[in-house]
Amino acid sequence: MTDKKRRQFVTMMGASTVAIPVSALIGSLPSHADDAPMVDEASAAAKNWEYVAQSSVADNLCSNCALYQGDDDSSSGGCPLFPGAAVAAAGWCKAYAPKPS
Ligand code: SF4
């Protein structure tokens, strides 16, 4: 094996070791919440974040939180705090952070 081919091989192996973890990460990302179960307010995770499906503060809603992953007109959507589940657009939790305007 020539030096040039060896360098190409090493470069290719380096690229493939980077590509594998990235593809594994993409596969583990939460899917859109269309078919995900709703977050159970009684769950430990929900209690930890004090999540409620109906916010008591008019303008502090999951739908206008920076972490909300649902579409603008959706009734529910994903949230990275609750992987594999959906939060209500009208919900709220103590990690609420308004979307930048
Ligand atoms: S961080 Fe809290 S307020 Fe924001 S979308 Fe997630 S559950 Fe809703």
Side-chain angles (χ1 to χ4, degrees):
M1 185 180 281
T2 65
D3 281 346
K4 183 177 178 184
K5 287 189 177 187
R6 185 174 297 127
R7 262 185 255 124
Q8 288 174 333
F9 177 76
V10 170
T11 301
M12 185 176 70
M13 291 307 292
S16 65
T17 56
V18 170
I20 291 169
V22 169
S23 64
L25 176 64
I26 290 169
S28 68
L29 288 174
S31 63
H32 279 281
D34 293 345
D35 53 353
M38 297 300 292
V39 170
D40 179 0
E41 289 183 1
S43 69
K47 287 182 178 177
N48 181 50
W49 291 108
E50 299 176 15
Y51 169 79
V52 289
Q54 182 63 57
S55 175
S56 60
V57 181
D59 291 333
N60 291 6
L61 306 169
C62 288
S63 61
N64 60 27
C65 174
L67 297 179
Y68 186 66
Q69 298 170 333
D71 294 331
D72 287 344
D73 59 348
S74 60
S75 61
S76 64
C79 171
L81 300 184
F82 303 101
V87 297
W92 175 91
C93 86
K94 69 180 182 181
Y96 171 80
K99 283 182 183 173
S101 49

